[in-house]
Amino acid sequence: MKAHDAMYIGGEWRPAASTETVPVIDPADEQVIAHVPAGTAEDVDAAVRAARAALPGWAATPPAERAARITALRDALAARAEEIAATVTAELGAPPQFAAAVHAGLPIAVAGTYADLAATHSFEEKVGNSTVYAEPVGVVAAITPWNYPLHQIVAKVAPALAAGCTTVLKPAEDTPLTAQLFAEAVHESGLPAGVFNLVTGLGPVAGQALAEHPDVDLVSFTGSTAVGRRIGALAGGAVKRVALELGGKSANVILPSADLPKAVAVGIANVMSNSGQTCSAWTRMLVPAERYEEAVALAAEAVAKYVPGERVGPLVNAKQRDRVRGYIEKGIEEGARLVAGGPDAPRETGYYVSPTVFADVTPDMTIAREEIFGPVVSIIRYEDEADALAIANGTEYGLAGAVWGEPAEAVAFARRMETGQVDINGGRFNPLAPFGGWKQSGVGRELGAHGLAEYLQTKSLQF
């Protein structure tokens, strides 16, 4: 697997400050496929200085020209679509078809939306006797996760570019090769040197140095709530802006009026995609008591189609595999009924976990409260609509969710859910809709105009 042994800083690939490297492992066969540099505070400082030097010129670049550069970046990514998909399969374990459609296809589409927004967004408005300007916030630290490696990069870097910000990216150590492909596309697109910079390495070293750097104006982070709290504390001490997209424990609420077979099948598919490694996955399936056993049987039938190594890939690393198996064991220990799957390894090699469904889950069980981040579904019984709403809102998270039922009834229920995004009767993903959470699921929004706004600050002139 191709890998650069350097950092992309100031428009060129530069040797890292240290000779230490981080191995990249294929989770399907547990073999090392590449090594990338382990970035240090010195590398981070060089990248931030390059971004700071490039900021005045890029901020002053007309929006139409910024749009043209983002379009060129989108085109460069599209030309690499097959390589991107193959790389994501190799370092994350995503099945090839899913890697091509989602891991490569979605970020290319999102980049296109920001090219359009850069060209059409109004960066100034008249308010009474004032003119209000939307200006770039400055140097952006983008710290991205491994579960959707390219999508999360584009969802941060593209709006930052559209706003006129410069960026330093620190990708997850498990999936740095996709980030290097992105840097190649940036270079090909003709972005001025220093507008985008890449430092690979470990979170506690390179990530923390980037979050703490005094010349970083905004930290955009996607990952665990625990790390998000730490970054928020660091940024708060420096009065620095943050955008945090964190954990989730989303409810899939099936109302009595729903098409139960469809709701269950789509709900299972939602959790199984990306091997359950999706923060917005509908991991809690809420079913009316009178149809509970029917739903359990349908879930068992649906999950049987998700065969490890075929429709379901491995988890990203051994630590994540062991963590998810631990949650499955905890569910059994606390009295949940195992309907499908279990903690045993489904394959001899690779970081696989069996697609697992639990029934008789109560809201106070660990598997109903904590984010598992694996192919595990908990089916929870509710007595009436008030009970369903209390269960749906009864976690510290509020990232996403789903409601199935008669449309008006479903919308009315969704409006009362304490969460950032809700799909009604299987509504499809919209890359222009704001994505982000309530409560412990984060601060700020990604995608579309709301995502662009995260990278802008306002100035008013009175006349």
Side-chain angles (χ1 to χ4, degrees):
M1 183 62 60
K2 176 184 175 183
H4 291 275
D5 59 355
M7 309 295 190
Y8 186 75
I9 298 175
E12 62 182 3
W13 293 96
R14 299 184 187 177
S18 168
T19 58
E20 292 187 14
T21 61
V22 178
V24 183
I25 299 173
D26 184 336
D29 62 15
E30 306 179 41
Q31 298 300 305
V32 175
I33 57 174
H35 289 82
V36 299
T40 65
E42 185 177 344
D43 296 307
V44 167
D45 184 63
V48 173
R49 283 190 285 107
R52 179 61 63 184
L55 180 61
W58 184 244
T61 300
E65 187 174 334
R66 297 202 296 260
R69 295 276 65 80
I70 299 171
T71 298
L73 173 58
R74 179 204 62 193
D75 293 345
L77 291 171
R80 290 169 169 78
E82 290 187 8
E83 186 179 7
I84 289 167
T87 301
V88 172
T89 293
E91 63 182 356
L92 178 64
Q97 186 174 0
F98 187 78
V102 177
H103 285 288
L106 177 59
I108 292 168
V110 170
T113 69
Y114 279 111
D116 294 340
L117 277 168
T120 60
H121 186 78
S122 177
F123 291 92
E124 64 178 84
E125 63 174 331
K126 292 287 186 180
V127 180
N129 66 310
S130 302
T131 301
V132 180
Y133 296 91
E135 300 186 347
V137 71
V139 174
V140 172
I143 303 176
T144 57
W146 44 260
N147 61 327
Y148 288 90
L150 184 60
H151 170 63
Q152 288 294 336
I153 291 171
V154 170
K156 298 182 188 305
V157 174
L161 297 178
C165 298
T166 56
T167 58
V168 179
L169 169 66
K170 207 301 285 184
E173 51 262 35
D174 292 291
T175 54
L177 304 182
T178 304
Q180 291 189 342
L181 286 177
F182 181 81
E184 291 178 2
V186 164
H187 193 81
E188 184 179 311
S189 73
L191 276 174
V195 170
F196 169 82
N197 306 273
L198 168 66
V199 176
T200 56
L202 302 177
V205 180
Q208 181 159 330
L210 186 54
E212 291 179 327
H213 200 288
D215 269 343
V216 166
D217 300 295
L218 181 148
V219 181
S220 180
F221 168 79
T222 296
S224 72
T225 297
V227 176
R229 290 191 188 108
R230 172 65 177 158
I231 288 174
L234 291 172
V239 195
K240 184 180 300 185
R241 282 176 57 176
V242 295
L244 305 173
E245 198 265 279
L246 308 175
K249 194 67 181 176
S250 300
N252 179 21
V253 182
I254 303 175
L255 298 175
S257 58
D259 179 341
L260 186 65
K262 181 178 180 181
V264 171
V266 175
I268 292 293
N270 174 275
V271 179
M272 296 304 130
S273 66
N274 214 42
S275 304
Q277 299 171 129
T278 303
C279 51
S280 57
W282 311 332
T283 52
R284 296 182 298 145
M285 183 180 293
L286 278 56
V287 180
E290 61 270 22
R291 304 195 72 181
Y292 189 77
E293 291 303 332
E294 182 184 357
V296 170
L298 288 167
E301 180 182 351
V303 81
K305 301 174 184 177
Y306 293 88
V307 179
E310 297 177 14
R311 293 185 69 178
V312 178
L315 300 190
V316 69
N317 56 39
K319 180 181 178 181
Q320 183 66 12
R321 175 201 60 196
D322 294 344
R323 178 177 182 272
V324 173
R325 287 183 183 171
Y327 273 112
I328 296 172
E329 291 169 351
K330 188 70 171 178
I332 295 170
E333 177 188 325
E334 292 186 354
R337 177 174 27 131
L338 189 64
V339 174
D344 295 338
R347 294 170 68 94
E348 290 185 5
T349 305
Y351 306 132
Y352 290 92
V353 172
S354 294
T356 297
V357 175
F358 280 108
D360 300 339
V361 177
T362 58
D364 61 329
M365 288 182 178
T366 302
I367 58 173
R369 291 185 293 103
E370 298 184 11
E371 185 176 42
I372 298 173
F373 226 60
V376 181
V377 178
S378 296
I379 307 180
I380 303 173
R381 178 189 287 102
Y382 69 84
E383 298 302 323
D384 55 27
E385 191 171 299
D387 188 32
L389 187 65
I391 295 170
N393 290 338
T395 76
E396 65 178 1
Y397 298 111
L399 185 56
V403 183
W404 299 80
E406 187 278 323
E409 180 185 14
V411 168
F413 189 97
R415 290 294 304 272
R416 291 179 288 161
M417 292 174 70
E418 297 169 352
T419 193
Q421 190 171 82
V422 184
D423 296 342
I424 305 296
N425 291 328
R428 61 189 177 87
F429 184 77
N430 179 3
L432 288 171
F435 182 83
W438 292 25
K439 301 188 284 188
Q440 296 296 303
S441 286
V443 176
R445 293 294 181 267
E446 293 185 328
L447 304 179
H450 291 80
L452 176 61
E454 295 294 331
Y455 300 90
L456 295 168
Q457 56 189 350
T458 56
K459 177 189 292 178
S460 64
L461 276 60
Q462 284 62 247
F463 295 90

